[in-house]
């Protein structure tokens, strides 16, 4: 499952927020806190659910962030966040989720899609 | 003071489960009495045969293309129009008690207001949500974050595990079987009746009504989660009906060869689902193969479904007694309906999906106007839609229907209703997409199939409801009906609502 949004801000500006794994609660509705220790990030959802994640990729040059959720309902998961420079002062932010069972990919990507829209509002509103 | 309004919806209830509609299995004296006092609609049709789009149509008075909830998992935008908001603006007290489902249930992030509210109480932030100032919500069991599940976990934790888990550990619709026959989504549930969600919905409705001022005008949407699967009513109530005595429904074709021949004459996804080679949606267990359904499983499902319908009828009776005790019965309008139907054995199938036939499309609809209005009882045979409910409620409250509503107030007699009723299906799930558009008009049902994963737009369905009430003879390719088919298709296309742009995204499976 993939969701994407175009944002009228430069890629480095967008990356400065989404590339900081500890700041996800600022742009992802439904996540109320995030703590990062080494390659482990633990987010807590608004439902009170703690979700430990393994950070797989954190590449400021490619502006790519990848992580795996480590919860019992998931046999496998990989989410990939990319920020692409469109060369005109705007950027494309893409969020892909692969998961087994696939239903969870829809749940994760669905929430991420709404988060991307919120991210755009934040970034463009900060103008 | 104005008329009080009680909108009663059930979930996934067939037309033929009410005594007043000819049903012989469930005893439904309360609804039957309302029908005798009011207007019984013989052909009420949903604009979608799944929950979220259909419920959004009821609330907005718009077709799914217009409100944008094109399949389950697409949340109705928070700022979508709502007849309840109009009522509230006119001074009505407003409540929604039971199943809402305008927003996805599967929500580990608690992003949606319906899922976030129960932790905080029953009054939405800002005073209302979608026009409802009081919300107490429930769904089909003890899973999830809604008020009923929280109440059950807090007050009767021993009952939580008694319920059938609607979805399994992988968030798939559960295919596990139970009961005496191993039918899917069936479980023996030892829960006490007074803890079951049907009685809880009635109890909470009664409490809200009891708290209203004597001079209040009020609207309550009382929304029962049953008789939607799982079929796990309180086991003590199952003594009412022995499933072994339940006759097979007319739509169940006992001969396997004949059943499969009927399916083969329909668009190909019918047979593909039956055989287990295509799962097109999240509305039925993906791991369950309909061809394995036995006659006894149909009997047991129908028995359990009938008991659930009886419990709803009795719960409604308790609420009406409360209204009468408050002295409001003469000024009370009651509308009883459901969001869509259930195949329940027709064609050897259960559950629902992209199948626009009577099992899913012919709904119970009763409107008992306030006795003080002097409205004469009637039976309306011409088609009406759930899209007509919102303007009807406005009319009861003395409000003009706004332009954004696409239906019209329900007719009080034949000849006053809409000329045609439209129904839509769109689904895109894990690489399989299906798109149907249906028109019901002049005693015919005609469905076109737009290009999708297994359809190329050459297939369709055409049924003559007078000659073929079970829709077992597809006339789509009948040369004798070609001109009439083309006329219906042209009419269907001409009256399609403009789709909302941009299209809303699917955010969860359901």
């Amino acid at each position: 499952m993939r969701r994407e949004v175009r944002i009228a801000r430069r890629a480095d500006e967008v990356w400065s927020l989404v590339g900081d794994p500890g700041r996800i609660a600022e742009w992802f509705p439904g996540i109320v806190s995030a703590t990062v220790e080494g390659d482990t990030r633990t987010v807590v959802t608004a439902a009170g659910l703690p979700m430990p994640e393994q950070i797989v990729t954190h590449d400021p040059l490619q502006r790519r962030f990848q992580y795996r959720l480590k919860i019992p309902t998931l046999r496998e998961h990989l989410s990939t966040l990319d920020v692409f420079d469109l060369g005109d002062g705007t950027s494309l932010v893409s969020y892909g989720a692969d998961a087994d069972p696939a239903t969870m990919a829809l749940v994760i990507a669905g929430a991420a899609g709404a988060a991307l829209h919120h991210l755009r509002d934040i970034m463009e509103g900060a103008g | 003071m104005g008329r009080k309004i009680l909108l009663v919806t059930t979930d996934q209830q067939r037309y033929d489960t009410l005594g007043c509609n000819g049903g012989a299995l469930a005893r439904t004296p309360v609804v039957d009495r309302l029908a005798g006092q009011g207007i019984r609609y013989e052909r009420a049709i949903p604009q979608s045969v799944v929950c979220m789009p259909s419920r959004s149509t009821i609330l907005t008075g718009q077709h799914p293309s217009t409100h944008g909830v094109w399949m389950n998992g697409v949340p109705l935008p928070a700022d979508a129009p709502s007849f309840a908001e109009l009522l509230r603006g006119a001074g009505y007290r407003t409540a929604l008690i039971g199943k809402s489902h305008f927003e996805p249930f599967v929500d580990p992030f608690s992003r949606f207001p319906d899922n976030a509210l129960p932790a905080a109480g029953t009054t939405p932030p800002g005073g209302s949500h979608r026009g409802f100032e009081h919300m107490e919500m429930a769904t089909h069991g003890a899973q999830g974050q809604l008020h009923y599940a929280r109440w059950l976990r807090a007050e009767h934790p021993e009952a939580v595990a008694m319920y059938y888990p609607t979805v399994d550990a992988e968030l798939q619709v559960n295919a596990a079987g139970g009961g005496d026959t191993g039918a899917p989504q069936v479980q023996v549930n030892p829960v006490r009746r007074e803890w079951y969600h049907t009685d809880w919905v009635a109890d909470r409705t009664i409490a809200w009504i009891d708290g209203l001022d004597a001079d209040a005008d009020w609207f309550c949407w009382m929304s029962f989660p049953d008789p939607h699967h799982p079929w796990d009513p309180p086991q003590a109530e199952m003594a009412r009906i022995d499933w072994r005595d339940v006759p097979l429904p007319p739509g169940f074709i006992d001969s396997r060869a004949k059943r499969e021949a009927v399916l083969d004459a329909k668009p190909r996804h019918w047979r593909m689902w039956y055989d287990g080679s295509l799962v097109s949606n999240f509305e039925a267990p993906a791991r369950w193969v309909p061809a394995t359904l036995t006659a006894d499983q149909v009997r047991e499902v129908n028995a359990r479904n009938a008991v659930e319908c009886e419990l709803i009828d009795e719960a409604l009776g308790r609420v009406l007694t409360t209204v009468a005790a408050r002295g409001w019965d003469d000024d009370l309008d009651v509308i009883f309906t459901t969001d869509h139907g259930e195949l329940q054995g027709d064609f050897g199938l259960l559950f629902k999906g992209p199948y626009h036939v009577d099992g899913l499309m012919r709904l119970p609809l009763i409107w008992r106007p306030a006795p003080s209005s002097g409205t004469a009882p009637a039976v309306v045979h011409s088609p009406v839609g759930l899209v007509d409910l919102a303007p009807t409620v406005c009319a009861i409250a003395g409000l003009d229907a706004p332009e954004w509503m696409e239906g019209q107030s329900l007719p009080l007699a034949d000849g006053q209703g809409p000329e045609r009723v439209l129904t839509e299906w769109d689904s895109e799930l894990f690489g399989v997409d299906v798109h149907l558009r249906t028109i019901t008009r002049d005693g015919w049902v005609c469905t076109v199939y737009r290009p999708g994963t297994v359809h190329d737009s050459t297939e369709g369905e055409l049924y003559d409801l007078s000659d073929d009430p079970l829709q077992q003879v597809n006339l789509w390719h009948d040369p004798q009906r070609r001109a009439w088919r083309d006329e219906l298709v042209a009419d269907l296309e001409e009256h399609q609502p403009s789709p909302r742009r941009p299209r809303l995204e699917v955010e969860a499976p359901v």
Side-chain angles (χ1 to χ4, degrees):
Chain A
M1 304 297 296
R2 195 172 83 163
R3 298 287 187 268
E4 58 192 27
V5 66
R6 185 172 182 173
I7 297 178
R9 306 296 292 182
R10 294 196 319 271
D12 60 328
E13 294 177 276
V14 176
W15 179 255
S16 70
L17 176 56
V18 302
D20 183 341
R23 296 180 66 188
I24 189 171
E26 294 180 34
W27 61 274
F28 200 116
I31 292 179
V32 295
S33 70
T35 55
V36 181
E37 291 183 27
D39 67 352
T40 299
R41 176 172 70 176
T42 302
V43 301
V44 177
T45 74
L49 195 65
M51 290 188 178
E53 301 166 340
Q54 178 193 1
I55 297 172
V56 178
T57 305
H58 185 204
D59 186 339
L61 290 178
Q62 291 192 75
R63 300 190 190 92
R64 164 168 282 199
F65 182 79
Q66 292 180 297
Y67 67 96
R68 298 186 195 278
L69 265 167
K70 296 293 184 183
I71 55 177
T73 51
L74 278 170
R75 280 189 293 269
E76 182 56 63
H77 165 253
L78 179 67
S79 277
T80 301
L81 179 80
D82 287 307
V83 182
F84 299 105
D85 183 0
L86 297 182
D88 58 357
T90 72
S91 55
L92 182 74
V93 184
S94 168
Y95 188 106
D98 288 303
D100 180 14
T103 311
M104 279 298 291
L106 179 54
V107 174
I108 296 165
L116 293 185
H117 290 292
H118 186 56
L119 173 68
R120 181 181 59 193
D121 293 344
I122 292 171
M123 298 303 300
E124 296 184 352
Chain B
M1 290 196 299
R3 285 153 71 172
K4 329 301 179 192
I5 306 167
L6 179 64
L7 170 62
V8 184
T9 56
T10 63
D11 195 351
Q12 202 158 315
Q13 183 172 5
R14 289 172 65 100
Y15 166 88
D16 53 15
T17 56
L18 296 179
C20 59
N21 288 340
L25 200 53
R27 292 158 298 182
T28 55
V30 175
V31 175
D32 296 349
R33 186 165 57 250
L34 292 171
Q37 298 168 343
I39 302 151
R40 184 172 64 83
Y41 296 88
E42 276 279 275
R43 191 157 289 278
I45 298 165
Q47 279 52 75
S48 167
V49 297
V50 292
C51 297
M52 292 181 67
S54 187
R55 288 162 184 270
S56 297
T57 287
I58 293 173
L59 185 67
T60 63
Q62 298 177 336
H63 291 84
S65 286
T66 306
H67 59 59
V69 182
W70 54 277
M71 68 176 276
N72 272 349
V74 177
L76 181 67
D79 61 354
S82 156
F83 74 77
E85 192 66 61
L86 299 178
L87 294 181
R88 184 168 171 269
Y92 269 73
R93 303 289 306 279
T94 56
L96 192 161
I97 298 170
K99 183 175 175 183
S100 54
H101 211 188
F102 307 120
E103 300 155 12
F105 288 140
V106 181
D107 180 19
F109 298 96
S110 251
R111 294 187 295 128
F112 300 109
D114 280 7
N115 298 323
L117 173 63
T122 56
T123 303
S128 72
H129 179 48
R130 305 190 189 281
F132 299 104
E133 64 182 37
H134 181 92
M135 299 181 81
E136 288 188 79
M137 290 167 286
T139 184
H140 309 287
Q143 293 177 315
Q145 309 167 52
L146 301 180
H147 294 88
Y148 172 70
R150 298 172 68 91
W151 171 81
L152 197 70
R153 287 196 292 265
E155 301 296 325
H156 308 291
E158 68 274 27
V160 170
M162 298 175 183
Y163 283 84
Y164 182 91
T166 311
V167 295
D168 61 22
E170 297 190 351
L171 291 181
Q172 291 285 345
V173 178
N174 203 338
D180 294 326
T181 64
Q185 294 267 325
V186 163
Q187 179 160 301
V188 172
N189 183 355
V191 71
R192 292 169 58 171
R193 174 181 175 167
E194 57 269 33
W195 300 351
Y196 192 62
H197 43 74
T198 295
D199 275 23
W200 182 88
V201 168
D203 290 344
R204 300 318 303 152
T205 301
I206 288 168
W208 184 75
I209 290 171
D210 274 340
L212 295 168
D213 292 339
D215 60 351
D217 290 333
W218 56 268
F219 167 83
C220 182
W221 185 342
M222 179 169 65
S223 179
F224 294 105
D226 267 353
H228 187 292
H229 56 89
W231 294 290
D232 62 349
Q235 189 60 22
E237 304 300 323
M238 283 308 300
R240 299 162 181 241
I241 300 173
D242 187 338
W243 65 263
R244 295 165 187 81
D245 298 333
V246 172
L248 288 168
F252 180 79
I253 305 168
D254 212 6
S255 157
R256 186 181 187 97
K258 184 182 177 193
R259 182 194 317 153
E260 294 177 354
V262 167
L263 292 171
D264 285 341
K266 295 177 182 293
R268 66 193 71 193
H269 71 298
W270 282 83
R271 181 64 190 266
M272 293 176 77
W273 180 42
Y274 174 83
D275 286 338
S277 62
L278 180 76
V279 175
S280 65
N281 58 83
F282 202 76
E283 322 313 328
R287 295 184 182 86
W288 175 70
V289 177
T292 64
L293 182 68
T294 68
D296 278 351
Q297 288 176 336
V298 173
R299 288 189 176 92
E300 183 170 19
V301 164
N302 279 326
R304 291 176 169 277
N305 183 286
V307 168
E308 293 179 353
C309 291
E310 290 193 1
L311 295 179
I312 290 169
D313 195 74
E314 292 162 15
L316 172 57
R318 288 200 293 125
V319 172
L320 295 179
T321 298
T322 297
V323 173
R326 295 294 310 264
W328 286 328
D329 185 55
D330 203 40
D331 292 322
L332 176 70
D333 283 73
V334 183
I335 298 173
F336 180 95
T337 190
T338 190
D339 54 356
H340 54 79
E342 155 69 50
L343 287 164
Q344 218 163 310
D346 287 357
F347 311 104
L349 304 170
L350 290 177
F351 308 110
K352 58 189 181 287
Y355 312 100
H356 284 178
V357 290
D358 271 10
L360 302 185
M361 293 252 291
R362 190 181 190 187
L363 308 183
L365 174 60
I366 310 294
W367 175 19
R368 199 293 299 267
S372 62
S373 71
T375 306
V379 177
V380 172
H381 301 85
S382 52
V384 299
L386 294 185
V387 71
D388 299 324
L389 292 182
T392 302
V393 172
C394 285
I396 294 169
L399 303 173
D400 292 332
E403 286 188 2
W404 44 262
M405 289 185 183
E406 296 175 333
Q408 61 185 71
S409 185
L410 286 168
L412 300 176
D414 273 329
Q416 302 173 356
E419 188 175 346
R420 66 190 65 72
V421 179
L422 304 174
T423 305
E424 310 172 17
W425 173 285
D426 291 290
S427 59
E428 297 176 13
L429 193 66
F430 303 131
V432 178
D433 61 294
V434 182
H435 308 281
L436 285 63
R437 295 292 182 273
T438 296
I439 183 170
T440 304
R441 204 192 95 181
D442 295 329
W444 290 77
V445 178
C446 177
T447 298
V448 301
Y449 282 71
R450 295 185 170 169
T453 303
V454 298
H455 303 116
D456 60 6
S457 79
T458 62
E459 294 174 285
E461 292 175 79
L462 180 67
Y463 301 110
D464 180 347
L465 295 173
S466 58
D467 279 357
D468 181 24
L470 300 176
Q471 295 102 63
Q472 293 183 353
V473 182
N474 183 10
L475 300 171
W476 180 261
H477 292 296
D478 182 350
Q480 303 291 322
R481 310 292 183 182
R482 181 62 184 262
W484 176 233
R485 184 193 92 180
D486 290 348
E487 184 178 333
L488 288 171
V489 170
D491 192 29
L492 179 157
E493 297 293 354
E494 182 183 349
H495 290 90
Q496 286 302 299
S498 299
R500 177 189 175 114
R501 292 286 184 258
R503 191 174 76 158
L504 300 176
E505 291 182 338
V506 181
E507 297 194 20
V510 67

